[in-house]
């Protein structure tokens, strides 16, 4: 029996609202969306700025540093592509005013993840070619 | 915002439930129609007399399906509520306003699903992905910023909330103890309920702590059941209800609330804020009542911890104090606030919270059997879902 590799859940790269984010990740850049009118960060990407109702945006590079706002340790896989990864850690990271981004926390055992811990971005290539935005505890 | 004034103008005159099971060959619609017919029979009306229909819950069925199935010919009010688990109780508010304004005389609120036989949230695979992109808002956000990392099912989203709560109030031990107490208490209540899936299966503290961790801090026994079934209620105006054979159960207030960034729990400035944070003060104000007046509460319990959080956001205690409330005041039948007297979604069945409304009506009619809260006059029902939406209804007899 031929074994077929389980495909990971890929981001939808052709979704115009998110395309520049994923293109940035491919180039090892954390790209954030900013309103051209009021200059507030606009996150998650939506058609209209929540702050001023503007609908013209630019993508700017963030510094890739943040702090963990909250997290979850997943002990059960709800998709086959996560079966060999449990337990895995999801962190929600405050990266800029009004911008919280989810990603996997790397290089940390589940019992070591703490709310408030500083983390740095790390770009991880998925099977299939997409690059995900992940996080690693900030080195001292 | 001024709370809506429906006080005592609407009455729940009929309730109906199917048998709750794990495994059925019957469609969601058939079960919903059966529960609706049972509610009509209980109300003493013919299905053709229904002139208002609200379909709360999952976006799988339309009002037309109900109307056609029940042969309703004179529908003058209809609506669909898409607030996940908060839908049923929110729909009760819509029904009350419709009968209070005379837009309809008999409003049916009915829902159900095959949460075991076809829409299992505990499964693993592509079918689950289809299901969660159907039931959650903003699928493009889900597919882009959440699914690739493995944030998939409701309990994982809500664990983000639970962990922040535990952190902010240093509840590492207390939260888990209260979650265990809640699971055990609801299981106890289910032992006296003939239509509870977990009747006959008791639960000890040892069992709770031995159950597998699924999504920290939630164990398997912190999760609602996967079941098949449906439930329904009929709402009418207070005048029409006078000829009912039942003790009338008045809707004193019913409110809904939506948190900031309602489709995105992660970006919510304060993840502890929920729809019910906004809805509860309005409901209590409209009712002219406070938490101290409530005799029992049927609180939406998709997961144990969210019951504790709702108690806090409704003002039964301060934030971070629900574990103390549970421990010192008591949530069992002999406690200050009996909670989920039917066994809830955790131990009776997951009927999207419609079963909570049915139980509240039974309590206020004095027909709740062994689990009757003695002297129950004022009860509360809540709904929670769809990444944080909330609803609350205050009922009295
Ligand atoms: Zn703006």
């Amino acid at each position: 029996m031929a074994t077929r590799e389980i495909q990971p859940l890929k981001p939808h790269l052709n979704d115009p609202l998110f395309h520049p984010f994923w293109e940035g990740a491919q180039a090892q850049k954390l790209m954030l969306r900013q309103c051209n009118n009021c200059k507030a960060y606009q996150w998650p990407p939506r058609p209209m700025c929540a702050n001023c109702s503007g609908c013209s945006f630019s993508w700017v590079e963030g510094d890739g540093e943040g702090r963990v706002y909250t997290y979850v340790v997943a002990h059960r896989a709800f998709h086959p592509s996560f079966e060999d990864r449990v337990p895995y850690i999801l962190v929600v990271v405050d990266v800029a005013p009004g911008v919280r981004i989810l990603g996997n926390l790397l290089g940390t055992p589940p019992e070591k993840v703490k709310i408030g811990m500083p983390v740095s971005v790390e770009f991880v290539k998925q099977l299939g070619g997409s690059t995900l935005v992940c996080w690693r505890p900030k080195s001292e | 915002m001024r709370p809506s004034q429906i006080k005592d103008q609407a009455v729940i005159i009929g309730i109906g439930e199917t048998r709750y099971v794990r495994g059925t060959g019957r469609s969601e619609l058939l079960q919903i129609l059966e529960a609706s017919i049972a509610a009509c029979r209980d109300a003493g009306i013919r299905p053709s007399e229904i002139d208002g229909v609200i379909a709360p819950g999952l976006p799988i069925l339309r009002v037309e399906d109900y109307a056609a199935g029940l042969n309703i010919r004179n529908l003058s009010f209809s609506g669909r509520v898409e607030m996940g688990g908060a839908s049923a109780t929110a729909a009760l508010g819509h029904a009350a306003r419709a009968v209070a304004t005379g837009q309809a005389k008999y409003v049916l609120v009915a829902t159900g699903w095959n949460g075991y036989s076809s829409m299992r949230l505990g499964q693993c695979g592509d079918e689950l992905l289809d299901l969660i992109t159907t039931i959650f808002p903003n699928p493009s956000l889900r597919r882009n910023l959440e699914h690739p990392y493995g944030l998939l099912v409701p309990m994982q989203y809500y664990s983000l909330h639970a962990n922040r709560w535990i952190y902010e109030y240093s509840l590492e031990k207390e939260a888990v103890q209260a979650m265990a107490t809640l699971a055990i208490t609801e299981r106890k209540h289910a032992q006296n309920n003939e239509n509870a899936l977990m009747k006959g299966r008791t639960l000890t503290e040892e069992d709770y702590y031995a159950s597998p961790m699924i999504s920290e801090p939630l164990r398997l026994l912190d999760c609602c059941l996967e079941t098949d079934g449906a439930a329904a209620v009929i709402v009418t105006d207070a005048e029409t209800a006078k000829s009912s054979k039942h003790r009338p159960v008045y809707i004193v207030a019913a409110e809904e609330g939506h948190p900031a960034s309602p489709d995105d729990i992660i970006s919510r400035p304060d993840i502890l804020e929920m729809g019910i944070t906004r809805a509860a003060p309005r409901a209590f104000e409209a009712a002219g009542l406070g938490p101290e007046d409530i005799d029992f509460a049927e609180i939406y319990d998709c997961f144990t911890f969210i019951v504790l959080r709702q108690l806090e956001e409704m003002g039964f205690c301060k934030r971070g104090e629900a574990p103390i409330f549970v421990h010192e005041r008591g949530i069992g039948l002999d406690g200050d606030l009996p909670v989920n007297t039917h066994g809830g979604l955790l131990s009776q069945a997951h009927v999207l919270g419609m079963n909570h409304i049915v139980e509240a009506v039974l309590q206020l009619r004095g027909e709740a059997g062994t689990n009757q809260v003695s002297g129950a006059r004022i009860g509360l029902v809540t709904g929670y879902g769809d990444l944080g939406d909330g609803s609350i209804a205050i009922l009295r007899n």
Side-chain angles (χ1 to χ4, degrees), chain B residues 245-313:
Chain B
K245 63 182 177 187
H246 298 293
R247 188 173 183 178
V249 173
Y250 293 92
I251 300 171
V252 187
E255 295 286 330
E256 70 177 63
H258 302 257
S261 67
D263 64 348
D264 183 22
I265 203 164
I266 285 168
S267 296
R268 203 161 292 159
D270 174 10
I271 201 169
L272 269 57
E273 200 214 335
M274 303 188 278
I276 205 160
T277 314
R278 299 174 177 190
R282 274 189 263 122
F284 282 121
E285 191 192 335
L289 298 167
E292 65 283 0
D293 298 309
I294 304 299
D295 296 323
F296 66 90
E298 314 298 352
I299 301 177
Y300 199 89
D301 54 334
C302 44
F303 304 103
T304 49
F305 95 98
I306 207 68
V307 174
L308 307 174
R309 289 292 300 116
Q310 289 174 89
L311 284 170
E312 295 176 359
E313 298 303 293

Side-chain angles (χ1 to χ4, degrees), chain A residues 35-40 42 49-54 57:
Chain A
C35 172
N36 286 338
N37 182 43
C38 73
K39 304 295 175 198
Q42 197 278 329
C49 172
N51 188 43
C52 75
S53 306
F57 299 94

Side-chain angles (χ1 to χ4, degrees), chain B residues 124-388:
Chain B
C124 174
D126 291 331
E127 271 174 48
L128 175 74
L129 278 182
D130 293 342
L131 173 59
I132 55 185
T133 35
T134 309
I135 64 170
F136 271 158
N138 203 342
S140 97
L141 174 61
R142 309 275 92 84
R143 287 193 193 105
N144 272 288
L145 298 184
E146 295 170 352
H147 292 178
Y149 302 100
L151 184 67
L152 295 165
V153 290
M155 69 184 303
Q156 295 173 334
Y157 290 86
Y158 301 149
S159 294
L160 296 170
H161 174 164
N163 282 322
R164 182 72 196 186
W165 173 58
I166 288 168
Y167 165 80
E168 282 191 26
Y169 295 94
S170 306
L171 300 172
E172 285 76 10
K173 282 210 181 72
E174 294 84 348
V176 175
Q177 281 165 358
M179 285 153 57
T181 300
L182 181 77
I184 292 162
T185 305
E186 293 201 24
R187 184 63 67 87
K188 233 179 248 172
H189 294 168
Q191 300 316 307
N192 299 321
N193 185 342
E194 288 304 321
N195 198 14
L197 251 295
M198 288 297 152
K199 182 176 163 62
R201 291 178 64 178
T202 54
L203 174 62
T204 65
E205 196 163 46
E206 205 180 0
D207 299 330
Y208 173 87
Y209 285 106
S211 82
M213 190 66 83
I214 310 282
S215 169
E216 238 166 277
L218 303 178
R219 296 174 180 276
L220 184 64
L221 288 172
D222 290 301
C223 303
C224 49
L225 301 169
E226 294 175 310
T227 58
D228 308 321
V233 300
I234 307 275
V235 177
T236 192
D237 60 273
E239 190 56 35
T240 303
K242 280 181 181 165
S243 56
S244 166
K245 63 182 177 187
H246 298 293
R247 188 173 183 178
V249 173
Y250 293 92
I251 300 171
V252 187
E255 295 286 330
E256 70 177 63
H258 302 257
S261 67
D263 64 348
D264 183 22
I265 203 164
I266 285 168
S267 296
R268 203 161 292 159
D270 174 10
I271 201 169
L272 269 57
E273 200 214 335
M274 303 188 278
I276 205 160
T277 314
R278 299 174 177 190
R282 274 189 263 122
F284 282 121
E285 191 192 335
L289 298 167
E292 65 283 0
D293 298 309
I294 304 299
D295 296 323
F296 66 90
E298 314 298 352
I299 301 177
Y300 199 89
D301 54 334
C302 44
F303 304 103
T304 49
F305 95 98
I306 207 68
V307 174
L308 307 174
R309 289 292 300 116
Q310 289 174 89
L311 284 170
E312 295 176 359
E313 298 303 293
M314 287 190 287
F316 282 90
C317 55
K318 292 196 192 112
R319 270 192 189 180
E321 292 184 354
I324 300 171
F325 181 93
V326 165
H327 181 68
E328 290 181 359
R329 304 278 303 278
I331 53 168
L333 293 171
D334 54 352
D336 279 1
L337 185 73
V339 168
N340 295 347
T341 47
H342 52 333
L345 306 184
L346 294 171
S347 281
Q348 188 200 20
H350 192 328
V351 201
L352 302 153
M354 275 306 299
N355 49 330
H356 290 45
I357 301 173
V358 168
E359 172 69 7
V361 172
L362 287 171
Q363 287 286 347
L364 291 168
R365 283 180 180 175
E367 296 172 3
T370 312
N371 287 353
Q372 180 66 47
V373 174
S374 65
R377 296 301 314 273
I378 302 171
L380 181 146
V381 185
T382 77
Y384 169 86
D386 219 15
L387 301 172

Side-chain angles (χ1 to χ4, degrees), chain A residues 9 12 15 18 22 44 46 69-73 75-79 82-83 88 90 100 102 104 115 133, chain B residues 123 125-126 128-129 140 143-144 148-150 160 163-164 167 213-216 263-264 266 268-269 271:
Chain A
L9 298 176
H12 286 212
D15 188 327
F18 297 92
W22 295 119
R46 296 182 192 282
Y69 174 76
T70 189
Y71 69 95
V72 56
V73 181
H75 289 261
R76 178 178 286 188
F78 288 92
H79 187 268
F82 293 96
E83 264 165 6
Y88 60 93
L90 293 156
R100 281 206 192 122
L102 177 86
N104 299 116
I115 287 175
V133 174
Chain B
Q123 65 184 315
D126 291 331
L128 175 74
L129 278 182
S140 97
R143 287 193 193 105
N144 272 288
Y149 302 100
L160 296 170
N163 282 322
R164 182 72 196 186
Y167 165 80
M213 190 66 83
I214 310 282
S215 169
E216 238 166 277
D263 64 348
D264 183 22
I266 285 168
R268 203 161 292 159
I271 201 169

